[in-house]
Amino acid sequence: MPLKGYGVLAARAVDRRREGSRDTPHYQIHLTDNAGTHYRAAVNVESQQAPSELLYLADDDFRHPVTELLPPAGSGWTALVSQAGKASLDFIRGNMFDPAAMRMLPPDVEGADNDLADLLDHYVQRAIADPTAAVYLFGQRFGPEKNIPDKVFGFRPGNGVHDIHMNQGNSGRFRSDNGVWQDGALFVHLPAENRWIAIFLAFQSQAWHTADQTGHPLDTAPLRAGDRDEPLRIMAALVHPSGPAPEAVTVLNVSPAPVDLQGWQLTDLNQHSLPLPAGTLQPGTTLTVPGGNGFHLDNRGGTITLVNPDGIKVHGVAYTAKEGEREGRTITF
């Protein structure tokens, strides 16, 4: 079954605690919302399933249409519906980032700036120091635990969020946690800089191609983050054309061999598909595909996904409303 109680916590960070190298260590964050309710966020820094080191990606200038769908800063816990077009996260279908950009870090080792706890500390301490910083934590809620103090920070009642990581592509004993549009992450909004920071975490044991209905790994696609052997990539899009010109998406053949385009297609945010024209794309060359067939690039922000003839996503991008509203300008990715 998917996670129970998936949602997002919008609050302010007031304290943090590192758990060191104890069993299944977490990085703990103490937060409060505008109503004075206290929460704890338990962020995994080590996997219980080998390999133990987590994959991470920290985007210091995160730009994605999901930021425009979030609840107000400091509003506390908001339950989310696990479906596209909402504030729910899906690392794969939402085109949040390129999995190949993720790297590994140990949980907690001696020295400065060399482990996952150090990385989280850098951003959380920044949020604690800035009274205007808004923190958003996606995951599964726990509590409130009536009359029971929080086991880390001592406030009553115990209450918070965990599973702040990818929640699909699991196998073995964690397979029951799989689902789509229910991934966890940590966002920090810095209003003074008009900037978003996003931290994404995943386990090396998780698969990066999953079934659209269940989030279970696809046997036909055992690729993991860091692999990048896809022959085609999305390079640019004309989202808001001038005059009668059609919307268009440009793809590039990054491989050293020609690619037969039969069966390849693009999909938009609403899962409308656009087949690539029949033919062969030579190495190092691009193809600009005009919109049609119901495929639509919304000026208010959206996603574009490239799917191979086996129906497997091989690349995806996202653009914001600010990028989409610029008439006649091509967005590059």
Side-chain angles (χ1 to χ4, degrees):
M1 293 177 60
L3 298 184
K4 296 179 180 179
Y6 177 68
V8 59
L9 172 65
R12 182 174 184 275
V14 296
D15 196 3
R16 95 288 184 261
R17 187 167 301 172
R18 301 168 62 137
E19 289 188 340
S21 57
R22 292 184 292 172
D23 290 342
T24 62
H26 292 77
Y27 181 92
Q28 308 283 2
I29 309 171
H30 184 184
L31 307 103
T32 59
D33 65 16
N34 292 342
T37 303
H38 292 256
Y39 304 85
R40 174 170 57 88
V43 185
N44 289 76
V45 293
E46 185 174 12
S47 173
Q48 296 182 46
Q49 190 167 326
S52 62
E53 293 182 341
L54 264 67
L55 295 162
Y56 81 94
L57 185 146
D59 187 340
D60 287 305
D61 190 14
F62 181 61
R63 302 182 186 187
H64 192 281
V66 72
T67 59
E68 298 164 14
L69 302 175
L70 296 177
S75 57
W77 179 259
T78 298
L80 296 176
V81 178
S82 296
Q83 66 183 53
K86 307 295 183 181
S88 305
L89 304 186
D90 191 303
F91 291 1
I92 299 169
R93 293 155 192 83
N95 298 344
M96 312 300 300
F97 58 91
D98 184 353
M102 299 193 92
R103 297 293 181 264
M104 291 180 290
L105 269 179
D108 197 308
V109 296
E110 287 190 23
D113 301 324
N114 60 359
D115 57 47
L116 190 50
D118 288 336
L119 176 99
L120 292 167
D121 219 29
H122 170 77
Y123 293 106
V124 173
Q125 291 279 49
R126 170 75 184 275
I128 292 173
D130 183 348
T132 69
V135 178
Y136 291 84
L137 289 140
F138 298 78
Q140 180 172 211
R141 186 171 186 174
F142 63 86
E145 300 165 327
K146 188 176 181 180
N147 298 323
I148 299 177
D150 181 75
K151 68 178 184 179
V152 177
F153 298 106
F155 59 80
R156 290 175 182 264
N159 180 44
V161 56
H162 60 164
D163 291 322
I164 306 169
H165 47 67
M166 183 172 170
N167 291 305
Q168 58 182 306
N170 293 295
S171 57
R173 63 192 178 106
F174 296 105
R175 183 180 173 87
S176 61
D177 293 338
N178 287 336
V180 298
W181 295 103
Q182 59 160 30
D183 288 329
L186 187 159
F187 291 178
V188 178
H189 185 217
L190 303 174
E193 302 177 28
N194 192 26
R195 182 163 64 96
W196 288 85
I197 297 166
I199 300 173
F200 303 103
L201 301 171
F203 301 113
Q204 293 186 66
S205 56
Q206 292 173 312
W208 284 86
H209 290 154
T210 63
D212 288 335
Q213 300 302 318
T214 64
H216 293 325
L218 291 176
D219 294 337
T220 57
L223 295 180
R224 298 294 193 268
D227 295 321
R228 180 182 272 179
D229 58 357
E230 308 94 345
L232 302 182
R233 294 182 69 81
I234 301 168
M235 298 302 296
L238 178 59
V239 173
H240 192 174
S242 301
E247 300 168 350
V249 179
T250 300
V251 298
L252 168 69
N253 179 1
V254 299
S255 76
V259 175
D260 181 357
L261 300 180
Q262 181 67 40
W264 287 82
Q265 59 183 351
L266 298 163
T267 61
D268 62 18
L269 179 63
N270 295 312
Q271 298 302 303
H272 294 130
S273 62
L274 177 66
L276 270 58
T280 300
L281 190 61
Q282 296 299 318
T285 62
T286 61
L287 172 69
T288 298
V289 186
N293 197 43
F295 180 88
H296 175 58
L297 302 178
D298 198 317
N299 298 348
R300 295 169 296 180
T303 60
I304 312 170
T305 301
L306 181 62
V307 179
N308 70 14
D310 294 324
I312 302 298
K313 171 190 169 179
V314 297
H315 190 225
V317 296
Y319 61 91
T320 64
K322 184 176 181 180
E323 293 170 317
E325 67 186 8
R326 303 177 69 181
E327 184 176 358
R329 186 171 182 83
T330 296
I331 304 169
T332 58
F333 303 108

